[in-house]
Amino acid sequence: TEDSFWCCTGTGFENHARYNEVIYSYTDDALYVNLFIASELDWHERGLRVRQETLFPETETTRLILSCEKNVSLTLCVRYPTWAEGLSLTINGTPEPLTAQPGEYIALTHTWTDGDTIEIHVPMRLQLEPLPGAPDWVAVVYGPIVLAGELGHENMPDPYLKDLYTRMTPVNGWPTPPVPEFVGIPETILSGIQPVANHPLTFHTVGIGRPCDVTLIPFFRLHHQRYTVYWRVRSTDP
């Protein structure tokens, strides 16, 4: 609709249902693994089936299990994301030496047999992404995941009536709490963002938020509350 979405959440909204189209791609003699999504590929022409088992991004590993009607010689190309520096993989439990760099593909040329298993570890780390031309505003990302700050429900209407209230009430009709700012240099800000135990992909700031610290969760998990994904950074307290 025209009053519930805007460009940052509406443009290409259908793309999320099309990721399955690009998990794998192939040429005559190479198979490319582009995305880490639990899935299964049946390559009839080569008599090869690839099953990908993963809980990514909740976990940092994915496993490729090959089922072959007969031995098949080809190059398996695994994407090495730019955010996964330090990626490692094993073939049937044996570490594979890597020469590829982040942003490239890892080319594994073998004669594959039934049951061969490739396990890939894709480490994720926290980073600050400054806005172009505005280095004092940053987003917080963990691997490929954009983190959003939970700012609560204070003074918000019932979520089931939210769209109705949006049409009837000016935005400034709802008193809003201040959005916290971060204080410190990039290194101290990153060290002040700590994982929350037993809650995957959940973080909490410790001592860097003004006027208060804040919980950060994946943007895709945030619903029915205020949030921000951009944070103003000050080197010192005002």
Side-chain angles (χ1 to χ4, degrees), residues 1 8 12 22 32 75 79 83 93 104 111 144 166 180 201 206 234 236:
T1 65
C8 57
V22 293
Y32 292 80
T75 300
R79 185 170 70 94
W83 47 262
E104 300 177 346
T111 298
T166 299
L201 304 179
V206 179
R234 298 181 183 273
T236 59

Side-chain angles (χ1 to χ4, degrees), residues 121-215:
H121 177 241
V122 282
M124 296 192 287
R125 60 189 176 92
L126 284 169
Q127 295 185 81
L128 301 180
E129 289 285 345
L131 278 175
D136 55 340
W137 287 87
V138 300
V140 182
V141 296
Y142 183 63
I145 307 300
V146 175
L147 300 178
E150 294 186 299
L151 301 184
H153 307 83
E154 184 180 350
N155 296 320
M156 287 184 67
D158 185 291
Y160 294 101
L161 300 177
K162 183 178 179 182
D163 284 349
L164 176 61
Y165 274 91
T166 299
R167 298 187 191 99
M168 296 175 60
T169 308
V171 172
N172 59 13
W174 301 341
T176 59
V179 176
E181 299 177 342
F182 292 162
V183 173
I185 60 175
E187 292 77 10
T188 58
I189 290 174
L190 284 174
S191 64
I193 302 174
Q194 299 293 322
V196 176
N198 302 317
H199 290 80
L201 304 179
T202 302
F203 299 83
H204 193 76
T205 62
V206 179
I208 62 171
R210 303 290 189 276
C212 61
D213 282 306
V214 65
T215 298

Side-chain angles (χ1 to χ4, degrees), residues 92-103:
N92 297 328
T94 301
E96 181 76 7
L98 304 181
T99 58
Q101 300 298 314

Side-chain angles (χ1 to χ4, degrees), residues 110-123:
H110 288 272
T111 298
W112 303 98
T113 62
D114 190 54
D116 280 346
T117 301
I118 302 98
E119 185 162 299
I120 307 152
H121 177 241
V122 282

